[in-house]
Amino acid sequence: MPRISTLRITRSHQIAAAVLVAAGSVTAIAATGGTSEAQTPAARSSVSVEPVAAAGIPTAKDAAEKAAEQKAAESAAAKKAADRAAARKAAEARSDKQAANRSTERKAVTPKKFSNNLDGWIRESLDIMKKKKIPGSYEGLHRNIMRESSGNPNAVNDWDINARNGIPSKGLLQVIQPTFDAYHVKGTPKKLTDPVANITAAANYAADRYGSIDNVDSAY
């Protein structure tokens, strides 16, 4: 009998101790603040809260980001348009330059051709005279040539005063060497009896002295 009573007392003490321990744990939880709901206002205010769109309404941050993206897109489109315009302008400039080069090349490879006869010599001389601004016409040149040499580029006067002085008149328009040297037209051969050189030098001399070869009707 005594052994049974002792056992019951001991177990009662253990149950009581467990109850006290449980009560102490509850007190400790209350003392330490428990859940996050027990945090102070200062602690709650230190937590950063990001703005959140509600019911599909964008925040100020969303609007700023969208505006920046739109501006970047517009800048990119403007740059592409400017690049295309610059490329077109460069292509047009290259095309114009190529056209000018082709035109120059055609002129260089296709010079004017004149017949190697009296008609061709007069026409070539007139072409040079036009560029050098020397007056004269086909009729004026042809008329004087026929009177002076009958159209012979190698004609030589061996009887007049010039011939007696050792400087005979030569060529289509019967020019003496000093006159040819003084009125030679650049771009023509430096040969007194060359048909074109003789005609242009004589026309240059006549323009200086008479105004034009057209004004000459006799020895000059």
Side-chain angles (χ1 to χ4, degrees), residues 129 134-144 147-148 173 202-220:
M129 290 163 59
I134 300 172
S137 67
Y138 186 100
E139 187 279 330
L141 291 173
H142 187 269
R143 171 167 45 82
N144 282 283
R147 186 190 67 252
E148 293 291 333
L173 282 169
N204 195 23
Y205 164 74
D208 184 44
R209 187 165 182 181
Y210 303 102
S212 171
I213 191 70
D214 294 347
N215 298 329
V216 178
D217 292 306
S218 61
Y220 61 108

Side-chain angles (χ1 to χ4, degrees), residues 65-78:
E65 290 177 351
K66 186 174 181 180
E69 291 174 357
Q70 184 176 355
K71 185 175 181 181
E74 291 174 353
S75 298

